[in-house]
Amino acid sequence: MIFIQLFIEFFKVGLFSVGGGLATLPFLYNLSDTFHWFTHSDIANMIAIAESTPGAIGVNMSTYAGYNVAGVAGGLLSTLGLITPSIIIILMIAKLLDKYNDSKYVQSAFFGLRPASLAMIAAAGVSVVKVSLIDLEAFQISGQMVDLFILPSILFAVVLYFLSKKTSWHPILLIGIGAIVGIVFQFAGI
């Protein structure tokens, strides 16, 4: 029964996540809250891994969650559940686009999908910030505003941002720097 549930839940994620991997994040956070197959921190970790390796965030997360819940078969079925809607939709769209590409309705639909995708990605970004840069639990314990923010992570994010804007360093180099600094300073133990 878990195999069917994994397939169906990740099928829904794949069906409604217009806009790519980052657009799957609101759905993944909902799955985390509903089924507890993975945590919000697992999602943040998967984003870090997915951005530094080939492959989509949703595919990586569905494979990870399915494997954790039901082994290799669970990983395969979760991944299949996630990608099946995209395959079906792309085949249908490809067929229709040839015929209706100049239609004002098709152009309007694409125009409307862009802000919807942006909103989903922005919501996912806010969720990642909450996991990566804010420590609500420490703030609730101490009541001190300084404990609300994970200052080393914020400082490091700002440094990496400026490095990415002011240098021509390849993103892989910045990701590597991030991993090394995280290991050296043990950011996970903050």
Side-chain angles (χ1 to χ4, degrees):
M1 189 62 182
I2 189 67
F3 296 117
I4 294 169
Q5 187 178 22
L6 283 166
F7 180 86
I8 289 171
E9 292 305 322
F10 282 102
F11 184 91
K12 290 190 287 189
V13 171
L15 184 61
F16 294 108
S17 57
V18 176
L22 292 175
T24 65
L25 292 176
F27 299 102
L28 294 174
Y29 283 113
N30 184 30
L31 277 180
S32 171
D33 295 339
T34 304
F35 296 104
H36 310 288
W37 292 335
F38 46 86
T39 66
H40 287 211
S41 291
D42 289 335
I43 296 171
N45 292 338
M46 189 57 63
I47 291 168
I49 292 168
E51 291 300 320
S52 61
T53 61
I57 292 168
V59 170
N60 290 339
M61 196 69 223
S62 64
T63 305
Y64 170 79
Y67 179 79
N68 271 353
V69 173
V72 172
L76 290 171
L77 282 171
S78 296
T79 304
L80 185 62
L82 186 84
I83 65 171
T84 299
S86 298
I87 292 168
I88 293 168
I89 291 168
I90 289 297
L91 291 173
M92 291 181 349
I93 289 174
K95 189 80 166 166
L96 291 174
L97 271 182
D98 283 341
K99 189 173 183 180
Y100 298 107
N101 194 29
D102 295 328
S103 165
K104 68 179 182 177
Y105 297 111
V106 170
Q107 297 302 317
S108 296
F110 282 128
F111 184 79
L113 286 172
R114 289 182 198 126
S117 297
L118 176 65
M120 292 173 68
I121 292 168
V126 168
S127 298
V128 171
V129 166
K130 287 181 357 189
V131 171
S132 302
L133 306 177
I134 296 174
D135 190 348
L136 194 55
E137 192 175 304
F139 173 69
Q140 289 172 336
I141 291 170
S142 73
Q144 301 291 321
M145 190 60 124
V146 72
D147 289 334
L148 179 60
F149 302 101
I150 305 171
L151 296 177
S153 293
I154 292 171
L155 176 63
F156 189 53
V158 169
V159 168
L160 284 178
Y161 173 78
F162 282 111
L163 280 174
S164 72
K165 294 297 178 187
K166 300 292 182 189
T167 68
S168 60
W169 292 356
H170 196 279
I172 292 174
L173 179 60
L174 295 173
I175 290 167
I177 291 169
I180 291 167
V181 169
I183 291 168
V184 169
F185 293 101
Q186 299 179 357
F187 276 177
I190 293 176

